[in-house]
Amino acid sequence: MATTNNNSNKMTIIAGIYNMYASEVKAFLMSYTHNEMAAEDMLHDLFVKVMALDMVNEQTAKSLLFVTARRMMIDDARHKAFVRQYEKDAQAMMDHFDSYSVERHIDSDRIIRLERLRVAEMHKKSAQVYNLCFHEECSAKEIAEQLGMNQRTVEGHIYRCRKEMRAYLKKVM
């Protein structure tokens, strides 16, 4: 019974404090937010915090409300600064990865161009084996069947072509 009385008494005090100071505190919050609805939201959050406190009295209520409102404004400003910095960092990171992917795309185009030039200079059979092996992903056995060659000969072509291409790409890159 005493707890119910205390809660009822506390709610009566908080309701009185709300009626006395809500418009002043809202004006104070408006000076920060410049938005009436945001100020009202902060005001309601403020009174929810006050209702959670055990000791609320009418003599120190005004100070409590303005100190708590000021802390809420500081917290909000810090949160907004953190979000802005996070967005800035995320954008910088995305720009970095975008430029990196563009660079990789340019590099891969250059490698493909150089590879095609080198394949064009290869002996006809070697070029056929290289293309079938590395572009069409055929096995040595499949290439041998397609070109009517011995499998060991095809494996020799693959080995020499790979070695030759690596040396060429190392030299030109």
Side-chain angles (χ1 to χ4, degrees):
M1 191 78 162
T3 307
T4 307
N5 255 351
N6 286 343
N7 283 340
S8 174
N9 190 26
K10 180 179 168 183
M11 290 303 143
T12 304
I13 292 171
I14 291 174
I17 292 170
Y18 183 86
N19 291 331
M20 279 194 284
Y21 301 115
S23 59
E24 279 184 72
V25 175
K26 182 179 172 186
F28 180 63
L29 292 168
M30 282 279 296
S31 71
Y32 168 72
T33 64
H34 304 290
N35 180 323
E36 187 172 357
M37 292 183 76
E40 285 179 9
D41 287 345
M42 289 180 83
L43 179 68
H44 293 153
D45 289 345
L46 172 66
F47 273 91
V48 167
K49 288 181 181 191
V50 170
M51 285 190 287
L53 298 175
D54 290 333
M55 297 285 294
V56 178
N57 64 47
E58 293 176 21
Q59 291 79 24
T60 60
K62 186 174 183 178
S63 298
L64 173 69
L65 292 174
F66 280 94
V67 167
T68 307
R70 178 76 177 140
R71 287 182 181 158
M72 288 174 70
M73 291 168 20
I74 291 169
D75 289 347
D76 187 64
R78 284 181 179 156
H79 174 73
K80 286 178 180 174
F82 176 80
V83 168
R84 276 193 305 273
Q85 186 61 45
Y86 180 82
E87 288 171 347
K88 182 180 170 186
D89 292 347
Q91 186 61 47
M93 199 169 229
M94 293 204 32
D95 290 344
H96 171 73
F97 285 123
D98 285 347
S99 68
Y100 180 70
S101 66
V102 169
E103 289 173 19
R104 288 188 69 192
H105 184 70
I106 291 169
D107 287 345
S108 67
D109 286 347
R110 181 172 179 234
I111 291 168
I112 290 168
R113 222 176 33 257
L114 291 169
E115 179 191 36
R116 285 184 184 147
L117 287 171
R118 188 64 186 141
V119 169
E121 295 173 359
M122 287 181 182
H123 184 270
K124 185 180 177 183
K125 280 285 185 203
S126 293
Q128 285 178 317
V129 168
Y130 183 88
N131 283 325
L132 287 170
C133 180
F134 295 106
H135 294 287
E136 296 184 29
E137 299 178 5
C138 295
S139 68
K141 184 177 181 182
E142 293 169 333
I143 296 169
E145 290 171 2
Q146 265 187 326
L147 300 178
M149 298 170 67
N150 183 316
Q151 185 175 339
R152 295 292 291 157
T153 305
V154 169
E155 289 169 356
H157 277 288
I158 292 170
Y159 174 78
R160 282 188 301 282
C161 290
R162 179 183 288 147
K163 186 177 177 182
E164 185 180 319
M165 187 61 73
R166 283 183 183 158
Y168 173 73
L169 291 174
K170 275 185 183 179
K171 185 175 85 176
V172 295
M173 300 207 55

